Amino acid sequence: SSGINAEYGIAGEGQIDEKGALKASNFVQICQQTAIPMVFVQGSVSTGYTRELASLMRSVAMATVPKITLITGQTSGHAYLAMNGQGLQPDLCFHWPGASISCTDHVTEDDHVTEPSHVTDAWECASNMVCDDVILPSETREVLRLSLLAAGAFSSDHLRRGHNSVLKF
């Protein structure tokens, strides 16, 4: 079994909110306590940093179970980082071809959301080794299945954060 943590915001807004971040943080802690590997599906943007996002980031950073990230759309800022982004060292990271990331938040000016300063597409991420592979949406289920099987096979007590190079493809 695996825990799937997907964030798409409320009512199609495309933003992770405080309530969702707190719920995700609790879910990550439950997966950690029960030794269930996690899959993070990202596809939304962030417009700022909140206490709840910090709680989620802390929970993900402290989790030692296998963590796999799938980026399906545009993701940015603190939401990208909190949902097992590159800074939190995912065991495996996959992007869909149209996915893109930005480490800067979308800034609101008079209730208008601006574009982030630098956006990196899936192919640039793969060439810079930010993600392990760019996969087609039709391949997602099989790739995640095989990744979870591999993560389960190598998730013994002696493999912990910082010693997970065996899981890289």
Side-chain angles (χ1 to χ4, degrees):
S1 64
S2 63
I4 298 178
N5 201 342
E7 49 94 6
Y8 289 100
I10 295 179
E13 290 176 5
Q15 299 173 8
I16 189 167
D17 64 333
E18 291 84 9
K19 191 174 179 182
L22 186 58
K23 185 177 179 181
S25 176
N26 292 335
F27 182 73
V28 168
Q29 292 171 14
I30 290 169
C31 287
Q32 171 63 24
Q33 291 169 356
T34 55
I36 295 175
M38 292 180 284
V39 175
F40 293 85
V41 182
Q42 296 191 32
S44 69
V45 298
S46 172
T47 56
Y49 187 74
T50 64
R51 182 181 314 142
E52 290 79 10
L53 268 179
S55 175
L56 174 57
M57 214 177 294
R58 184 174 50 253
S59 296
V60 173
M62 295 182 71
T64 58
V65 297
K67 297 178 286 191
I68 299 168
T69 300
L70 171 65
I71 299 177
T72 60
Q74 183 178 4
T75 185
S76 69
H78 292 98
Y80 163 68
L81 296 172
M83 288 290 290
N84 201 34
Q86 185 62 28
L88 297 179
Q89 299 178 337
D91 293 299
L92 292 168
C93 182
F94 303 105
H95 289 214
W96 283 359
S100 63
I101 62 171
S102 173
C103 288
T104 58
D105 283 324
H106 288 246
V107 179
T108 57
E109 295 175 2
D110 301 328
D111 295 329
H112 292 94
V113 177
T114 62
E115 291 300 315
S117 58
H118 179 73
V119 177
T120 307
D121 69 11
W123 303 108
E124 188 177 346
C125 287
S127 69
N128 291 325
M129 298 175 62
V130 172
C131 73
D132 294 298
D133 200 1
V134 178
I135 62 173
L136 295 173
S138 60
E139 300 171 341
T140 302
R141 183 175 293 180
E142 183 65 12
V143 169
L144 290 179
R145 184 184 74 80
L146 292 172
S147 299
L148 288 167
L149 284 174
F154 294 108
S155 64
S156 62
D157 290 337
H158 66 279
L159 288 174
R160 292 288 177 221
R161 291 273 128 228
H163 305 288
N164 60 356
S165 59
V166 168
L167 294 176
K168 293 287 182 183
F169 290 158

